[in-house]
Amino acid sequence: MSEFNAHDIAKAAKTAFQDSQLIPSSERVNALHEIRKSLEANKAEIIKANAEDLKAAEIEVGAGKMSETLLKRLDLNKGDKWDSMLQGILDVAALPDPTGSVSYASELDDELELYRVACPIGVLLVIFEARPEVVVNIASLAIKSGNTAILKGGKESNRTTTLLSKAISAGLAKTAIPALYIQAIQTRAEVSSLLELDQYIDLVIPRGGNSLVKNIQNGTRIPVMGHADGLCSVFIDEGADVTKAVRVAIDSKIDYPAACNASETLILHESVVHTVWPPVAKALLEANVKLLCDPPSLDALKALSPRPSNLETLHLNLTLSVIVLPSLQSAIQFINSHSSHHTDSIVTESDAAASTFCRGVDSAGTFVNASTRFADGFRYGFGTEVGVSTGKIHARGPVGLDGLVTYKYMMRSKAPSGHIVGEFGTSKKQYKHTPIKATSVPFLQ
Amino acid sequence: MSEFNAHDIAKAAKTAFQDSQLIPSSERVNALHEIRKSLEANKAEIIKANAEDLKAAEIEVGAGKMSETLLKRLDLNKGDKWDSMLQGILDVAALPDPTGSVSYASELDDELELYRVACPIGVLLVIFEARPEVVVNIASLAIKSGNTAILKGGKESNRTTTLLSKAISAGLAKTAIPALYIQAIQTRAEVSSLLELDQYIDLVIPRGGNSLVKNIQNGTRIPVMGHADGLCSVFIDEGADVTKAVRVAIDSKIDYPAACNASETLILHESVVHTVWPPVAKALLEANVKLLCDPPSLDALKALSPRPSNLETLHLNLTLSVIVLPSLQSAIQFINSHSSHHTDSIVTESDAAASTFCRGVDSAGTFVNASTRFADGFRYGFGTEVGVSTGKIHARGPVGLDGLVTYKYMMRSKAPSGHIVGEFGTSKKQYKHTPIKATSVPFLQ
């Protein structure tokens, strides 16, 4: 697609955003219900397109050009995937409105009020893997939070995502929300063109690996909320409880090894190498986890047969690196240097060690005696998630609807002649800064 | 300076940050007091260096290579500038700690608690104009919020900033805070090298014009909190009160024309062209404001002598563009297309128009019957400000200490055998998500 068209898409998204500012948020909820109906009405056609995507993908898999995992993710008709996709729309519709709430309010002077109010960000460009249901998930989150979105899924799902996006637009057309609120694009070239349009696009959300995120950060002035790899670790502290250590190490690794919150590294305090480590290693090996040990952790398991150490590798499979370190402090330093600042867990009986670990580890999640797999928007209680941000700016860790809003400051003077700054200063009026208790802006209609 | 040194600086900043995570925030306050003492003790030397900067700058001004305004900003010994700089340190020290507070807490299960807690971002790279006192302001804000900072001021102030930074390090050396918490660099080449080091630097804050901000956004993967130009406008609505219109238009323009929150554009609803506009124009002209009018606003002032329209120009002086538009809706569209999304104000007697304007204008500040000049961290009640963010991500509008923190999630299981995800699901345990009332994390020591 030409740059001209990318420009049109981006401008249309911004216009749709600006045109929707006076529409009440209840209409966004209504739109979600209409989208659900429209998807249900067009199910046969969408599933047919999905079958074509699957057929093409099977040929790729047969030729060894695509993984079975990717193929499985493509299938929209598998198990209850279609129904849970539609249920997800209703779940998002039922979440609290993330816009309109006041997070700071102050009376600056008699009859001069300031409100900081949550509002949508604007136009989102979301780039994600070849999982067609993500189109519907992200569209729901964008609409619920009042943002317009331009969506780009993996190319293997193009036929499906095109029809999903058409059905979403058909649903929107029955409401006051502009039909161009959600637009789908197909090619990387379109993404490149859109990344230049910082006058229209407010935030890029790439979901995928480190290289996708870095490529996008390199090529745009638009802020990027990256969802890069998770390189999570579990640290077994001096005097750790064996049961806790076994349970947390196993669950962090095997509950869902392909997830970004699965652990890739197990760090052992040197004092547990001959005590806690052997039963933990036994449990991991019995669960078919391949252990890549450093020499001290290997020596302690001489009766077993693990392989040499291989650190700083993202496995996303049943392989786990094991390293022995002399102290809590060195474990914290190791994690800060080698982890991806996603989620790290300590197994410990010491309150002081728990506190030191949680303060010292510079990650989005620092857990005590709990599996790294808990790092997830649903488990955190956000209802759903946009993804897990590995950045520190704007939103960090699992991102719920709150991560898709910003705020603006609204100020109103009710004084008979308005308010001017020139009246304040030394030997003039002083600012009052009296807190106002308000959950919404009283003068908005 | 070579890339090798930039790398050392960045790595030292990150190490200083990580090493300081267990230091209580009270020590950061102590550090601010030590810095104030150190600056006072080194005043003579600093003022001498400042005199040398001034002398070099005067030669530049004489050769027509520098503006008088820049020269004035350089002078650290002018009026009460030195004393207010030192007072500013105490003011920041006295502000509430922006770290440690809990913004979300939930009991996910019996004995499994989740806390979202405010924490420093990490390493800041701050680039600013040739105003030496800003070194001290930004250092105070960084230390108070627990961030380390690398500072680059305008080259004209290099002699002064080097000594200020030395005095700051000397103050820090008397405390538990690492002396490399604050580092100053001198050249643009160093900035370029640092912008590549996203493994160490967490946030870039450029204070300056659009071109500085855009250049930096183009050249880095590190998130940028831009402080670009302000292109603010005042809209005089149908039926606006003449007194309010005159006061708000005058104050927005003349209170401090060089500030980013001064107005550059006056938009007139066409119905006020022959009613409210003439007295507003008269007042502006009497205040020596040069009016660049469009034909309709010019026609209405035939007895006066303004010049033709010149829109979309940042004046930062006493020139004001004037444009007539047919409706509130067209004014909102004009502002969204032409303003810099900083602060815009409506003068109106209509509650409906006030609400529509505040909802519809996509700017950090939307004001009703109040001067755009109120857009300022001190006036908003934040005590001080890092600057005014013209972006929408992380912090928008005047940025106080809250804009220099992020959050992390801390989770603790108190269950006898820890917590694992595999125990939850259909026909297993369900998440409770019971809100916890907490202002701090109970298990941090």
Side-chain angles (χ1 to χ4, degrees):
Chain A
M1 179 170 282
S2 70
E3 259 188 66
F4 179 74
N5 280 338
H7 185 271
D8 285 354
I9 287 169
K11 193 175 176 188
K14 192 66 144 196
T15 304
F17 172 68
Q18 288 172 348
D19 288 352
S20 69
Q21 293 310 299
L22 302 182
I23 299 171
S25 61
S26 58
E27 185 66 3
R28 305 203 297 256
V29 173
N30 181 36
L32 292 178
H33 288 279
E34 289 297 337
I35 287 170
R36 197 196 60 78
K37 284 187 222 162
S38 173
L39 287 166
E40 195 59 46
N42 292 283
K43 180 177 176 182
E45 199 190 2
I46 295 165
I47 295 297
K48 198 177 148 222
N50 187 238
E52 287 168 31
D53 275 338
L54 279 171
K55 208 171 148 186
E58 275 159 15
I59 296 169
E60 296 289 300
V61 172
K65 290 179 184 165
M66 191 192 285
S67 72
E68 285 280 352
T69 314
L70 214 155
L71 184 70
K72 271 184 215 159
R73 285 179 170 177
L74 260 185
D75 191 349
L76 197 53
N77 208 20
K78 199 190 160 199
D80 62 350
K81 210 194 260 183
W82 175 271
D83 289 336
S84 28
M85 179 181 85
L86 296 198
Q87 181 57 42
I89 303 174
L90 300 182
D91 292 348
V92 170
L95 288 172
D97 183 4
T99 66
S101 56
V102 167
S103 57
Y104 178 83
S106 179
E107 192 181 57
L108 306 191
D109 185 28
D110 293 340
E111 305 186 295
L112 183 64
E113 294 166 2
L114 175 73
Y115 299 89
R116 179 168 68 197
V117 53
C119 64
I121 292 171
V123 179
L124 313 177
L125 171 60
V126 189
I127 300 150
F128 49 94
E129 57 277 42
R131 287 170 60 183
E133 76 277 17
V134 174
V135 174
V136 175
N137 298 344
I138 299 285
S140 305
L141 293 165
I143 292 168
K144 176 75 184 187
S145 54
N147 295 286
T148 61
I150 303 170
L151 306 177
K152 161 75 172 75
K155 63 177 188 308
E156 300 81 1
S157 61
N158 270 352
R159 292 175 191 86
T160 319
T161 54
T162 303
L163 289 197
L164 286 170
S165 148
K166 224 173 118 184
I168 290 168
S169 293
L172 288 171
K174 294 192 175 158
T175 73
I177 307 284
L180 291 180
Y181 228 65
I182 305 296
Q183 298 178 84
I185 58 170
Q186 260 79 44
T187 69
R188 283 198 187 184
E190 287 168 297
V191 172
S192 300
S193 300
L194 290 170
L195 289 175
E196 291 172 18
L197 303 175
D198 59 329
Q199 71 271 44
Y200 299 125
I201 298 173
D202 296 292
L203 182 65
V204 186
I205 305 179
R207 297 176 21 146
N210 287 334
S211 63
L212 171 71
V213 173
K214 284 209 169 188
N215 274 340
I216 287 182
Q217 287 170 328
N218 278 334
T220 189
R221 283 194 299 267
I222 306 169
V224 177
M225 191 194 285
H227 295 61
D229 298 337
L231 215 59
C232 304
S233 54
V234 172
F235 169 59
I236 302 183
D237 187 33
E238 186 172 26
D241 176 82
V242 176
T243 308
K244 288 177 189 168
V246 169
R247 279 164 48 87
V248 171
I250 289 276
D251 190 80
S252 296
K253 187 64 213 172
I254 74 164
D255 183 62
Y256 184 23
C260 64
N261 55 15
S263 72
E264 310 297 329
T265 309
L266 182 67
I267 305 169
L268 307 170
H269 190 287
E270 62 179 12
S271 69
V272 303
V273 169
H274 296 285
T275 55
V276 184
W277 170 227
V280 169
K282 192 160 173 281
L284 286 164
L285 291 166
E286 281 171 6
N288 291 317
V289 176
K290 188 191 286 183
L291 300 177
L292 300 174
C293 296
D294 70 347
S297 59
L298 189 64
D299 284 351
L301 305 177
K302 280 211 171 126
L304 310 166
S305 57
R307 294 181 19 197
S309 171
N310 178 12
L311 299 171
E312 257 186 296
T313 303
L314 179 62
H315 308 123
L316 298 181
N317 60 30
L318 281 175
T319 305
L320 182 68
S321 298
V322 186
I323 180 173
V324 177
L325 290 172
S327 64
L328 169 62
Q329 212 37 255
S330 56
I332 292 171
Q333 280 168 9
F334 179 87
I335 291 170
N336 286 340
S337 306
H338 296 81
S339 91
S340 66
H341 310 288
H342 186 298
T343 304
D344 300 282
S345 183
I346 183 174
V347 180
T348 189
E349 294 300 299
S350 156
D351 288 347
S355 174
T356 299
F357 185 88
C358 286
R359 282 188 189 276
V361 170
D362 187 19
S363 293
T366 53
F367 294 178
V368 181
N369 295 327
S371 167
T372 56
R373 289 273 300 134
F374 282 108
D376 168 278
F378 171 74
R379 287 169 200 146
Y380 277 13
F382 303 162
T384 185
E385 68 176 27
V386 182
V388 178
S389 167
T390 46
K392 291 176 169 185
I393 303 304
H394 195 78
R396 190 181 194 192
V399 180
L401 281 170
D402 286 357
L404 293 184
V405 298
T406 179
Y407 53 76
K408 66 205 278 193
Y409 288 92
M410 297 184 182
M411 187 185 288
R412 179 179 56 161
S413 166
K414 292 187 286 188
S417 50
H419 263 90
I420 62 173
V421 162
E423 288 174 342
F424 294 80
T426 315
S427 71
K428 295 185 189 174
K429 284 207 278 188
Q430 299 301 309
Y431 290 93
K432 286 186 189 287
H433 296 145
T434 312
I436 299 172
K437 278 186 190 160
T439 53
S440 62
V441 182
F443 61 86
L444 285 190
Q445 297 181 348
Chain B
M1 180 169 284
S2 72
E3 259 187 66
F4 178 74
N5 281 338
H7 185 271
D8 285 354
I9 288 169
K11 195 176 175 186
K14 191 65 146 199
T15 303
F17 172 67
Q18 289 172 348
D19 289 351
S20 69
Q21 293 311 299
L22 302 183
I23 299 171
S25 60
S26 57
E27 186 65 5
R28 305 202 298 255
V29 172
N30 180 36
L32 293 178
H33 289 278
E34 289 298 337
I35 287 171
R36 197 197 60 77
K37 283 187 223 160
S38 173
L39 287 166
E40 196 60 45
N42 292 285
K43 181 176 177 181
E45 198 190 2
I46 295 165
I47 294 297
K48 199 178 147 219
N50 187 237
E52 287 168 31
D53 275 337
L54 278 170
K55 209 171 148 187
E58 275 159 14
I59 295 169
E60 296 288 300
V61 172
K65 289 178 183 168
M66 193 193 284
S67 72
E68 286 280 353
T69 313
L70 214 155
L71 185 69
K72 270 184 217 160
R73 286 179 171 178
L74 261 185
D75 191 350
L76 196 53
N77 209 19
K78 200 190 161 199
D80 62 351
K81 210 194 259 183
W82 175 270
D83 290 336
S84 23
M85 180 180 84
L86 295 197
Q87 179 58 42
I89 302 173
L90 300 181
D91 291 347
V92 170
L95 287 173
D97 183 4
T99 66
S101 57
V102 167
S103 57
Y104 178 83
S106 179
E107 192 182 56
L108 307 190
D109 185 28
D110 292 341
E111 304 185 295
L112 183 64
E113 294 167 3
L114 175 73
Y115 299 88
R116 180 169 66 199
V117 54
C119 64
I121 292 172
V123 179
L124 313 177
L125 170 61
V126 190
I127 299 149
F128 50 94
E129 58 277 43
R131 288 170 61 183
E133 76 276 19
V134 174
V135 173
V136 176
N137 297 342
I138 300 283
S140 305
L141 292 165
I143 292 166
K144 176 76 184 185
S145 54
N147 295 287
T148 61
I150 303 168
L151 307 177
K152 161 75 172 74
K155 64 178 187 304
E156 300 82 1
S157 60
N158 270 352
R159 292 175 191 85
T160 318
T161 54
T162 302
L163 289 198
L164 285 170
S165 146
K166 223 172 116 184
I168 289 169
S169 293
L172 287 173
K174 295 193 175 158
T175 73
I177 307 283
L180 292 180
Y181 228 65
I182 305 295
Q183 298 178 83
I185 58 170
Q186 260 79 45
T187 68
R188 282 197 188 186
E190 287 167 297
V191 172
S192 300
S193 300
L194 290 171
L195 289 176
E196 290 171 19
L197 303 175
D198 59 329
Q199 70 271 44
Y200 299 125
I201 299 172
D202 295 293
L203 182 66
V204 186
I205 305 179
R207 295 175 24 145
N210 286 335
S211 63
L212 171 69
V213 174
K214 285 208 171 193
N215 274 340
I216 286 181
Q217 287 170 328
N218 279 334
T220 189
R221 282 194 300 266
I222 306 168
V224 177
M225 192 195 283
H227 295 62
D229 298 336
L231 216 61
C232 304
S233 52
V234 172
F235 170 59
I236 302 184
D237 188 32
E238 186 172 25
D241 176 82
V242 175
T243 308
K244 289 177 188 169
V246 169
R247 280 165 45 90
V248 171
I250 289 278
D251 190 79
S252 296
K253 186 65 214 172
I254 73 165
D255 183 63
Y256 184 23
C260 64
N261 56 13
S263 73
E264 308 297 329
T265 308
L266 183 67
I267 305 169
L268 307 170
H269 190 286
E270 62 177 12
S271 69
V272 303
V273 170
H274 296 284
T275 53
V276 184
W277 170 229
V280 169
K282 192 160 173 283
L284 286 164
L285 290 166
E286 282 170 7
N288 291 319
V289 176
K290 188 191 286 183
L291 300 176
L292 300 173
C293 296
D294 70 348
S297 59
L298 188 65
D299 284 352
L301 305 177
K302 278 213 172 121
L304 309 165
S305 58
R307 294 184 15 200
S309 171
N310 178 11
L311 299 171
E312 257 185 297
T313 303
L314 179 63
H315 307 122
L316 297 181
N317 60 30
L318 281 175
T319 306
L320 183 68
S321 298
V322 186
I323 181 173
V324 177
L325 290 172
S327 64
L328 168 62
Q329 210 38 253
S330 56
I332 292 172
Q333 280 169 8
F334 180 88
I335 291 169
N336 285 341
S337 305
H338 296 81
S339 90
S340 66
H341 311 289
H342 186 299
T343 304
D344 301 280
S345 183
I346 183 173
V347 180
T348 189
E349 294 300 300
S350 156
D351 288 346
S355 174
T356 299
F357 184 88
C358 286
R359 280 187 189 276
V361 170
D362 186 21
S363 293
T366 54
F367 293 179
V368 180
N369 295 325
S371 166
T372 56
R373 288 274 300 135
F374 281 108
D376 169 276
F378 171 74
R379 287 166 202 150
Y380 277 14
F382 304 160
T384 184
E385 69 177 27
V386 181
V388 177
S389 166
T390 47
K392 292 177 169 184
I393 303 303
H394 195 79
R396 190 182 193 190
V399 180
L401 281 170
D402 285 355
L404 294 184
V405 298
T406 180
Y407 53 75
K408 67 203 279 193
Y409 289 92
M410 296 184 183
M411 188 184 290
R412 179 179 57 158
S413 166
K414 291 187 287 188
S417 51
H419 263 90
I420 62 172
V421 162
E423 289 175 339
F424 294 79
T426 315
S427 70
K428 294 185 191 174
K429 284 209 278 187
Q430 299 301 309
Y431 290 94
K432 288 187 189 285
H433 295 145
T434 312
I436 299 172
K437 277 185 191 160
T439 52
S440 63
V441 182
F443 61 87
L444 285 190
Q445 297 180 349

